[in-house]
Each structure stands twice: as C-alpha cells, then as structure tokens.
Amino acid sequence: MASSENLELREHRSFQEKYWTVQRCAWVGYGIIVAAALLGFAGEGGVFARAQIQAGSAEIDHPRFARWQTQETLSIAFAPSSGSERKVLLSSEFGRQISIAGAQPSPSRSTATAAGEELVFLVRPGESGLAKIRIKPDTPGIVRWTIAIDGVAVAMTLIILP
C-alpha cells in the first residue's frame, strides 16, 4: 500500500484547472496558426497565397503575401494585340518598399519616371506573351500600389511578413 506521504493530496485544484484551460486555448491558437499557414496566409503555397486580376486585356498573377527579403514572382499574361510594345508601369509606392530582382524576358527598355518605373516588353503582334517579374520586398508591412498595363491601372495590395 502507498503511504499518505506520497499522495499529492494538497494540490491547488483551482490553479490546475486554470492552467489546463490556458493549455487548451494555446492548442486552439496553434491550430489556427497552422491552418492559416496551410491555406496560404503565410505565403509560399496554399489556396490564398496568390491572386489573379485583370488589367485591360492582360491577366496578372501576383502574391498576396510575401516574405521580407525573399523573391516572389509577378506574372503578366499579355493578350494578343496589334502593337509589339507592351508597357508595364509600377507605381512609386511599389518602388519605395519593393525592388525588382529581374524579369524574364528582359524588358527592352526600363525608365524611371515620377509616376514609377516603366518596363517595356516586346511581344510579336497578334500573339500572346508572358512576362515574369521577380520582386524582392525590402521592408515588412502592407504595400498598396498600382500597376498599369498599356495604360489600364489596377490597385494591388501585398502583405510582407517578417
């Protein structure tokens, strides 16, 4: 038989119940964080990690969430048109917090203007084209900026996580 000295008869039951409640709340909180990451709210894959929007006849595939100092890709699918030059204007708000790490294909011309950075891509007349711009966020935070493709501007938001 066990002696009464080894039994924990003087436990603080109310403290223990509060501690269990805090543990269960932490489990729920961690579960929510894991579910959000799997859905794409932390960037890098998942249903909500990327979005597509139309800017005139072009379609833009962009990240909703990005990591600070990590490259992401902004894809622009140009619809067929009669002209060979396709102009992409990234607003000055974009340039303050995000840098361009590269583009594929390389733009034929890149110009810094008061409105932002203008990239000109050559696409064969009557054919569709795809341009991929690699971006790298410089600071964490929320960036609200505009992108204009052949004069048609759309507003975009990027949440940059640390």
Side-chain angles (χ1 to χ4, degrees):
M1 277 201 138
S3 69
S4 62
E5 293 175 6
N6 294 336
L7 297 176
E8 297 180 16
L9 298 175
R10 295 191 180 224
E11 287 184 8
H12 298 287
R13 182 73 180 182
S14 64
F15 172 77
Q16 192 67 39
E17 288 176 357
K18 290 175 188 172
Y19 184 71
W20 292 335
T21 303
V22 169
Q23 276 186 327
R24 285 182 181 80
C25 290
W27 293 347
V28 170
Y30 292 139
I32 290 170
I33 290 170
V34 168
L38 290 173
L39 289 172
F41 290 106
E44 282 298 316
V47 177
F48 298 104
R50 300 191 70 78
Q52 292 81 28
I53 57 172
Q54 289 290 127
S57 61
E59 183 176 317
I60 304 166
D61 178 56
H62 66 92
R64 290 181 177 155
F65 304 93
R67 294 273 180 189
W68 174 42
Q69 296 185 342
T70 302
Q71 287 190 16
E72 288 285 340
T73 302
L74 179 74
S75 299
I76 304 168
F78 299 111
S81 75
S82 59
S84 64
E85 285 191 349
R86 307 306 297 268
K87 294 180 181 180
V88 176
L89 177 66
L90 303 168
S91 69
S92 58
E93 292 87 11
F94 174 89
R96 284 190 201 108
Q97 293 181 332
I98 301 172
S99 58
I100 297 175
Q104 184 62 37
S106 296
S108 64
R109 194 170 69 240
S110 176
T111 309
T113 67
E117 185 162 353
E118 183 179 70
L119 306 172
V120 178
F121 294 95
L122 295 178
V123 179
R124 288 187 182 158
E127 292 184 13
S128 60
L130 179 68
K132 293 187 177 191
I133 302 171
R134 290 183 313 280
I135 60 174
K136 185 176 177 183
D138 296 329
T139 58
I142 299 174
V143 182
R144 289 182 177 85
W145 53 287
T146 58
I147 183 170
I149 300 176
D150 294 330
V152 179
V154 293
M156 299 177 69
T157 301
L158 179 62
I159 299 172
I160 304 167
L161 303 171

